[in-house]
Amino acid sequence: LAKTTQPISMDSYEGQEVNITCSHNNIATNDYITWYQQFPSQGPRFIIQGYKTKVTNEVASLFIPADRKSSTLSLPRVSLSDTAVYYCLVNGGATNKLIFGTGTLLAVQP
Amino acid sequence: EAQVTQNPRYLITVTGKKLTVTCSQNMNHEYMSWYRQDPGLGLRQIYYSMNVEVTDKGDVPEGYKVSRKEKRNFPLILESPSPNQTSLYFCASSFREGLRSPLHFGNGTRLTVT
């Protein structure tokens, strides 16, 4: 079964770029890697999804190396409202079980 | 408005008293799933359903039951709750199975079992 590892917390200042990495082994070879954002008292919200190399949307970029053993969420020019917990999500390999990372608390300061 | 609705938002109960947490989605999604969230452990999948009448165990299914009689509803049943099931529960749905389309989450149900 796949296992995921993320840093517990990160600090940043407004306007900086933030990169959060998730390490994941034994993930399904044909499935996406997805990242979610969660604010207190709310359910997680989809940010971005990718299969390999680089994906970019209006809020973030996702970098996935060729071996797919990790992925990096990149948030450009963070603001105070980006303070949240960020989770990576992968498929647990041979099964359809979904495995969330333990989450990274990003604290953005003025 | 497209959404996943969970009820109740808060629930306090006693050990052994059966309870059901309801989950409903209005997006015609095939895939639905339940998660529990605990400090330091993140989100862990309890059960999932790929379609009507098809359910399967996630990572932590012990002590829980689910059913999927209709596409829109996926209730979580605790036949005999215990204090270690005190947690924050989330229901989610997506258009297709697994990671192939984004999950839409409800706002959570905070359960306390005394």
Side-chain angles (χ1 to χ4, degrees), chain B residues 21-114:
Chain B
V21 183
T22 63
C23 175
S24 179
Q25 50 93 5
N26 62 0
M27 295 168 280
N28 202 35
H29 284 168
E30 291 190 352
Y31 184 91
M32 296 186 75
S33 51
W34 276 101
Y35 304 84
R36 61 178 289 173
Q37 185 170 37
D38 302 289
L41 298 176
L43 287 143
R44 293 179 292 168
Q45 191 179 48
I46 303 171
Y47 268 95
Y48 63 94
S49 170
M50 306 260 251
N51 213 325
V52 176
E53 302 291 4
V54 180
T55 63
D56 212 341
K57 296 177 181 178
D59 232 8
V60 289
E62 295 77 21
Y64 304 95
K65 283 176 57 178
V66 293
S67 70
R68 188 94 182 270
K69 295 187 173 64
E70 307 163 280
K71 198 171 188 178
R72 63 182 291 129
N73 296 323
F74 190 46
L76 179 69
I77 303 156
L78 284 72
E79 295 269 4
S80 183
S82 62
N84 64 11
Q85 292 178 299
T86 292
S87 187
L88 179 58
Y89 292 86
F90 288 101
C91 178
S93 71
S94 62
F95 181 60
R96 290 186 292 179
E97 65 186 70
L99 292 168
R100 298 178 191 278
S101 58
L103 289 165
H104 297 255
F105 283 84
N107 280 329
T109 296
R110 186 167 292 281
L111 171 65
T112 301
V113 183
T114 61

Side-chain angles (χ1 to χ4, degrees), chain A residues 24 33 50-54 62-66 68 70-72:
Chain A
H24 30 74
I33 297 161
Y51 176 69
K52 60 181 178 180
T53 61
K54 178 184 175 182
L62 180 60
F63 299 91
I64 303 170
R68 288 169 42 89
S70 66
S71 58
T72 299

